[in-house]
C-alpha cells in the first residue's frame, strides 16, 4: 500500500504522462501470463546536454517535437540568443522567463556548457539527464570543416591533416573561446577544462562524476540503436524518436584523414578519447542489460521502416539536398565554415496536417528555436533569423 501510494504521488508530481506497455517476449510461462505487464510512464522532465558535432541537432528536433506533442515547457535561451550562454558555463538566468517560471520547465536541450548546480535550479528534481558522444576521430574532422572560419588554429592551417601534423604550432589555449572546438570539445561541453592534463586519477574522477550526473549517454556512431535505448529509457513511443537527419553536410566537404592523423587525434584529444571509450562500453552494456541485442535489432528495423514511410510521405527527394537546392528558404539550415549543410524539400501536395508534421521533422535548429520561443513567449520580441518565416502567425 505504501509503495502504491508513493507511485501515485510521483505520478501526480511529474505532471503529465502518457502510458504504454513495455514489449515482452512471446515465450512466457503460464504464471507470467497471469500477471499483467507493468505499465511504464513516459518521462516528461528531460534534460539533454547538446554536445557539438555529435548528431545533437537531430536529437534537439526530437525533443522539440515531443515537447509540442505533449504541450511541455522548454527552457529556451533568453532574448536573441540561440544557445544557453555557451561557451560560458551555464547559469539559470540564461533561460528565458526563469525569474518568473522558476523550477517548472520540462525540457532543456539547447547548447550549454554543463553546470549541474545551475541546471537543477531550472529543472525538476525527477528530471532524466542524458547526452550523446561521438568517436573523436570523425568528430575532429567535422569540427575542422564546420568551424574552419571561426577557430584560429583551423584558419591558419591548410587542411585537417596539416593541423594534426603539429597541432601545438597552430593551437593556442589562450584563444579560449575560439579554440575550444579544436581540442577535447566534448570534455569542455560537459563543463571540464579541455586543456587539462590527461592524468589517470583526474580523468577517472571526471568519468565517475558524469556517471552520477547523467542517467544515459548515447553514442552518435550508433544513432538508431541510441534512439531505441532512449525510447525505452524514457518509456516513449516509436514515433517520439523517429527523425530525419539534420545538420549533416555534403560528402564533398569531408576531408580524408591519414592513418597518422587518426592516431594523432587519440593523443591530441585524449580526454575526449577516454570519455568516448568509457561510455561506448557502458552503452553496449546498458543494451545487453535492458533490451538485449536480439530485441534491439528488431526495434531498429521498425524504426528504419517507419522512418522510410515518413520520408516517402514528406520528401520530394528521398534524401537531403545541398543548400542551393532547398526551395523553401525558411527551411534553409545555418551554414558554417567550409561545410555545405544539407536540408530537405517537402512534397508540394500535402494536406495541411501532414505538411505541418513534415515541416517539424525537417525544421532546422535555429528556426525551430525561434518558433518555440514565439509560442512560449508571445509578448517578447521574436528571435531574428534573417530568413523567411514558415508561418507568419502561430495560427497558420
Amino acid at each position: 500500500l505504501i509503495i502504491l501510494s508513493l507511485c501515485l504521488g510521483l505520478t501526480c508530481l511529474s505532471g503529465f504522462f502518457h502510458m504504454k506497455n513495455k514489449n515482452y517476449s512471446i515465450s512466457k510461462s503460464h504464471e507470467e501470463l497471469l500477471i499483467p505487464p507493468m505499465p511504464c510512464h513516459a518521462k516528461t522532465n528531460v534534460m539533454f546536454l547538446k554536445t557539438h558535432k555529435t548528431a545533437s541537432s537531430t536529437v534537439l528536433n526530437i525533443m522539440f517535437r515531443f515537447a509540442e506533442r505533449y504541450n511541455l515547457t522548454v527552457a529556451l535561451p533568453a532574448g536573441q540568443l540561440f544557445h544557453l550562454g555557451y561557451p560560458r558555463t551555464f547559469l539559470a538566468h540564461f533561460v528565458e522567463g526563469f525569474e518568473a517560471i522558476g523550477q517548472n520547465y520540462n525540457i532543456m536541450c539547447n547548447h550549454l556548457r554543463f553546470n549541474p548546480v545551475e541546471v537543477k535550479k531550472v529543472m525538476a528534481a525527477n528530471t532524466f539527464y542524458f547526452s550523446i558522444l561521438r568517436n573523436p576521430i570523425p568528430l575532429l574532422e567535422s569540427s575542422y570543416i564546420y568551424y574552419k572560419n571561426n577557430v584560429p588554429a583551423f584558419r591558419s592551417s591548410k587542411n585537417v591533416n596539416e593541423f594534426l601534423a603539429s597541432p601545438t604550432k597552430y593551437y593556442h589555449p589562450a584563444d579560449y573561446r575560439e579554440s575550444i572546438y579544436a581540442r577535447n570539445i566534448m570534455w569542455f561541453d560537459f563543463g571540464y577544462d579541455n586543456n587539462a592534463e590527461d592524468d589517470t586519477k583526474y580523468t577517472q574522477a571526471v568519468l565517475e562524476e558524469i556517471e552520477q550526473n547523467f542517467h544515459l549517454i548515447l553514442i552518435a556512431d550508433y544513432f538508431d540503436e541510441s534512439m531505441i535505448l532512449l525510447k525505452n529509457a524514457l518509456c516513449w513511443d516509436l514515433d517520439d524518436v523517429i527523425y530525419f537527419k539534420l545538420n549533416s553536410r555534403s560528402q564533398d566537404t569531408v576531408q580524408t584523414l591519414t592513418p597518422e592523423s587518426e592516431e594523432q587525434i587519440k593523443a591530441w584529444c585524449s580526454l575526449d578519447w577516454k570519455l568516448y571509450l568509457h561510455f561506448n562500453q557502458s552503452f553496449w552494456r546498458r543494451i545487453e542489460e535492458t533490451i538485449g541485442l536480439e530485441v534491439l535489432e528488431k526495434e531498429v528495423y521498425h524504426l528504419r521502416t517507419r522512418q522510410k514511410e515518413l520520408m516517402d510521405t514528406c520528401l520530394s527527394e528521398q534524401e537531403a539536398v545541398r543548400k542551393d537546392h532547398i526551395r523553401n528558404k525558411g527551411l534553409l539550415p545555418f551554414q558554417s565554415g567550409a561545410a555545405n549543410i544539407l536540408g530537405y524539400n517537402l512534397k508540394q501536395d500535402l494536406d495541411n496536417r501532414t505538411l505541418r508534421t513534415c515541416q517539424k521533422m525537417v525544421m532546422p535548429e535555429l528556426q525551430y528555436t525561434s518558433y518555440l520561443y514565439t509560442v512560449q513567449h508571445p509578448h517578447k520580441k521574436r528571435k531574428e533569423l534573417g530568413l523567411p518565416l514558415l508561418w507568419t502567425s502561430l495560427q497558420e
Side-chain angles (χ1 to χ4, degrees):
L1 192 61
I2 292 167
I3 291 168
L4 181 62
S5 304
L6 182 62
C7 289
L8 289 170
L10 287 171
T11 304
C12 295
L13 272 174
S14 60
F16 182 87
F17 292 105
H18 72 294
M19 292 167 58
K20 71 183 182 69
N21 291 333
K22 289 202 181 238
N23 294 327
Y24 285 83
S25 59
I26 294 158
S27 57
K28 295 175 182 152
S29 70
H30 179 65
E31 288 78 11
E32 280 180 298
L33 287 169
L34 296 174
I35 305 165
M38 285 288 289
C40 64
H41 297 289
K43 290 180 170 64
T44 52
N45 292 329
V46 185
M47 190 274 167
F48 169 57
L49 176 62
K50 187 179 190 297
T51 47
H52 285 79
K53 313 313 300 159
T54 57
S56 63
S57 293
T58 304
V59 180
L60 175 128
N61 180 273
I62 287 168
M63 302 299 292
F64 278 174
R65 283 186 286 119
F66 184 84
E68 281 204 273
R69 184 176 170 186
Y70 297 107
N71 197 26
L72 304 173
T73 306
V74 183
L76 292 166
Q80 291 297 302
L81 293 175
F82 285 89
H83 50 71
L84 292 160
Y86 194 89
R88 287 181 293 165
T89 300
F90 176 76
L91 296 172
H93 69 82
F94 295 161
V95 173
E96 185 65 71
F98 169 69
E99 284 77 8
I101 297 171
Q103 200 184 21
N104 281 311
Y105 294 90
N106 305 110
I107 302 288
M108 179 185 266
C109 55
N110 288 78
H111 273 307
L112 60 82
R113 188 174 184 213
F114 193 61
N115 180 2
V117 174
E118 289 290 308
V119 170
K120 281 170 183 166
K121 290 180 186 175
V122 177
M123 301 304 290
N126 68 347
T127 296
F128 183 94
Y129 289 79
F130 80 101
S131 189
I132 190 164
L133 299 173
R134 183 185 181 188
N135 185 326
I137 296 171
L139 185 148
L140 190 117
E141 184 276 333
S142 176
S143 287
Y144 186 91
I145 301 301
Y146 196 83
Y147 298 110
K148 176 74 174 157
N149 303 338
N150 306 87
V151 176
F154 293 162
R155 214 167 35 224
S156 53
S157 54
K158 276 209 299 282
N159 57 51
V160 69
N161 291 307
E162 183 181 271
F163 166 72
L164 286 163
S166 54
T168 50
K169 178 178 161 187
Y170 304 103
Y171 179 87
H172 306 293
D175 299 331
Y176 157 66
R177 291 202 171 179
E178 294 86 1
S179 293
I180 48 177
Y181 305 105
R183 188 179 198 190
N184 296 312
I185 180 62
M186 295 188 292
W187 198 263
F188 182 87
D189 287 349
F190 274 87
Y192 302 101
D193 178 6
N194 62 318
N195 292 306
E197 201 179 320
D198 184 356
D199 169 75
T200 308
K201 199 175 169 186
Y202 164 69
T203 53
Q204 195 52 43
V206 167
L207 295 174
E208 284 171 17
E209 193 167 71
I210 292 171
E211 279 183 340
Q212 283 165 9
N213 286 330
F214 289 85
H215 298 94
L216 180 64
I217 304 287
L218 303 176
I219 301 294
D221 312 75
Y222 306 100
F223 194 78
D224 288 348
E225 291 83 354
S226 288
M227 290 306 98
I228 298 303
L229 195 54
L230 181 68
K231 172 184 85 71
N232 286 21
L234 294 175
C235 194
W236 287 7
D237 293 323
L238 184 67
D239 268 15
D240 294 328
V241 295
I242 294 292
Y243 68 92
F244 295 161
K245 199 175 179 183
L246 297 178
N247 209 35
S248 60
R249 63 197 158 121
S250 60
Q251 203 52 38
D252 61 348
T253 62
V254 177
Q255 293 185 8
T256 306
L257 293 162
T258 64
E260 293 77 20
S261 289
E262 292 193 359
E263 286 308 307
Q264 177 68 292
I265 291 170
K266 293 179 194 177
W268 174 243
C269 296
S270 64
L271 299 172
D272 269 4
W273 184 244
K274 284 190 172 175
L275 185 66
Y276 175 75
L277 290 181
H278 178 85
F279 284 104
N280 184 42
Q281 247 183 344
S282 68
F283 173 80
W284 291 105
R285 194 164 58 242
R286 177 78 166 258
I287 283 170
E288 283 170 21
E289 288 168 2
T290 56
I291 311 172
L293 291 172
E294 208 174 311
V295 174
L296 176 75
E297 203 177 314
K298 285 176 189 162
E299 292 211 32
V300 165
Y301 172 78
H302 291 314
L303 177 94
R304 288 173 181 166
T305 305
R306 180 74 182 117
Q307 183 187 49
K308 190 177 184 317
E309 275 173 23
L310 275 167
M311 289 183 103
D312 290 341
T313 301
C314 294
L315 306 179
S316 57
E317 298 91 347
Q318 291 308 296
E319 57 184 9
V321 297
R322 295 171 66 91
K323 62 183 178 187
D324 41 350
H325 293 153
I326 297 167
R327 289 191 296 268
N328 182 344
K329 295 308 169 196
L331 293 173
L332 182 74
F334 176 72
Q335 302 293 319
S336 177
N340 186 322
I341 306 298
L342 306 176
Y344 294 94
N345 287 318
L346 300 178
K347 285 183 175 173
Q348 305 284 347
D349 54 350
L350 300 172
D351 64 79
N352 281 347
R353 192 178 171 189
T354 309
L355 174 64
R356 196 67 176 238
T357 301
C358 294
Q359 283 175 326
K360 298 285 175 66
M361 294 281 300
V362 303
M363 198 185 292
E365 182 178 330
L366 301 188
Q367 286 92 318
Y368 213 152
T369 301
S370 176
Y371 162 71
L372 275 187
Y373 183 84
T374 306
V375 172
Q376 285 189 193
H377 308 284
H379 305 299
K380 298 272 183 181
K381 184 177 184 287
R382 190 189 280 267
K383 287 186 190 286
E384 297 297 334
L385 269 176
L387 286 167
L389 299 171
L390 280 175
W391 307 292
T392 49
S393 76
L394 300 179
Q395 279 68 47
E396 279 181 42

